[in-house]
């Protein structure tokens, strides 16, 4: 599976540190965001059709762990991190 990451939706100080598939076909990642901020992980097999995969809250250090299961059989998968909407 080829992975492509898109992070331009976030401010430039946010960095994707790790985003890799594991042998079971799951994708795991770690992202350095801002402390206690809520983020959304979006995934797509083709760019115009994004689906919400997970919503996560950064810890006190800003570190965010996220993942998606069962995507190992896909020829490619695109991801983006977005700030969650504020209610």
């Amino acid at each position: 599976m080829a992975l492509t990451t898109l992070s331009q939706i976030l401010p430039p100080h946010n960095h994707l540190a790790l985003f890799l598939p594991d042998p079971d076909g799951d994708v795991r990642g770690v992202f350095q965001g801002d402390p206690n901020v809520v983020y959304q992980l979006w995934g797509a097999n083709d760019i115009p059709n994004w689906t919400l995969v997970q919503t996560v809250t950064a810890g006190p250090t800003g570190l965010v762990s996220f993942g998606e299961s069962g995507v190992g059989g896909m020829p490619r998968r695109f991801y983006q991190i977005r700030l969650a909407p504020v209610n």
Side-chain angles (χ1 to χ4, degrees):
M1 170 190 353
L3 295 177
T4 302
T5 57
L6 305 172
S7 59
Q8 72 274 13
I9 292 174
L10 295 175
H13 66 279
N14 297 103
H15 300 285
L16 191 60
L18 175 69
F19 206 100
L20 297 171
D22 67 21
D24 296 327
D26 300 338
V27 174
R28 302 281 174 238
V30 178
F31 178 82
Q32 181 63 49
D34 293 320
N36 306 312
V37 172
V38 181
Y39 294 95
Q40 295 177 329
L41 172 67
W42 290 78
N45 295 335
D46 52 55
I47 296 294
N49 298 308
W50 294 100
T51 303
L52 179 61
V53 173
Q54 186 178 14
T55 300
V56 293
T57 302
T61 63
L63 193 64
V64 179
S65 296
F66 53 84
E68 184 177 24
S69 299
V71 293
M74 297 178 185
R76 74 184 70 124
R77 187 83 170 140
F78 301 93
Y79 291 95
Q80 59 181 219
I81 304 285
R82 302 180 191 176
L83 289 171
V86 178
N87 294 331

